[in-house]
Amino acid sequence: MRKSIYLLLIVLLVPLAHAREIRLRWGDSVEIKNLDQARKTAEAEKKLITVIIGLPKYDSETRGAQQTVDVIEDTIKALKGSSVIVKGTFEEVRALKQGDVFNIALAEGVQKAGSSLPMIIVLNPAEKKLIQVIAPNDVLKDGSRAFREVKKIARDLKKK
């Protein structure tokens, strides 16, 4: 009887032992709390701002976590040259100052993104307007082609 209980405990605890946090490579991204500074930097460098909204942590036991991390890392890799990357959670975005035109554009992007995570929202800081919301499925399906329009807009912004 005692042996059965130990065996049962081992069987139940083994899956917990294998769960691990998946490390995300954020590169030179900025926290959402530093959004104002990111806006100034983006305007000075004539870049767009890409806000990536996701969970604070991803672990290997969560279904689809590795794909989500892959989407975020692909987005950073593809847009780091043309955008200032800002990372945050849904709660942090909701806590931003209301009434600011840029934050209103960001809220519009969140609304267009729906409930899919990560939310990839591209904004023009100079004009304070939403450029594009990129669906995570588009990144998975199309790879770097999902960012063509954003890169074209960023090139045009550099020329101004």
Side-chain angles (χ1 to χ4, degrees):
M1 176 75 174
R2 186 175 247 173
K3 212 176 198 183
S4 299
I5 291 174
Y6 286 126
L7 185 60
L8 180 62
L9 283 174
I10 289 172
V11 169
L12 292 175
L13 294 177
V14 166
L16 296 176
H18 292 291
R20 63 173 176 74
E21 183 178 341
I22 301 172
R23 295 276 180 207
L24 242 160
R25 292 182 295 265
W26 283 101
D28 294 332
S29 62
V30 179
E31 298 280 338
I32 196 91
K33 64 184 176 185
N34 299 323
L35 183 60
D36 290 334
Q37 184 60 41
R39 286 169 56 186
K40 290 176 187 173
T41 302
E43 285 183 46
E45 296 178 6
K46 293 186 175 183
K47 289 185 171 185
L48 299 171
I49 289 185
T50 300
V51 179
I52 300 174
I53 301 169
L55 300 174
K57 291 182 184 178
Y58 294 94
D59 69 58
S60 60
E61 292 297 310
T62 304
R63 184 173 171 213
Q66 187 59 56
Q67 279 186 323
T68 302
V69 168
D70 291 344
V71 166
I72 292 171
E73 289 178 349
D74 289 350
T75 301
I76 292 168
K77 183 178 173 185
L79 297 180
K80 68 182 176 183
S82 59
S83 288
V84 173
I85 308 294
V86 178
K87 63 180 176 176
T89 63
F90 185 71
E91 292 77 24
E92 290 171 328
V93 171
R94 288 187 60 194
L96 291 174
K97 183 176 83 176
Q98 301 294 315
D100 181 273
V101 177
F102 185 83
N103 293 349
I104 292 170
L106 178 56
E108 180 186 342
V110 169
Q111 187 176 17
K112 283 187 176 181
S115 61
S116 63
L117 285 179
M119 295 178 182
I120 305 167
I121 303 165
V122 183
L123 303 141
N124 183 330
E127 296 176 4
K128 298 180 175 121
K129 70 176 197 172
L130 176 66
I131 299 296
Q132 187 176 6
V133 175
I134 302 169
N137 284 338
D138 291 346
V139 178
L140 282 173
K141 184 176 70 174
D142 299 333
S144 63
R145 290 182 299 219
F147 307 110
R148 279 186 181 167
E149 187 65 28
V150 172
K151 288 181 177 182
K152 181 181 180 282
I153 292 168
R155 282 192 301 272
D156 293 343
L157 183 64
K158 283 271 191 199
K159 292 176 185 177
K160 289 183 182 180

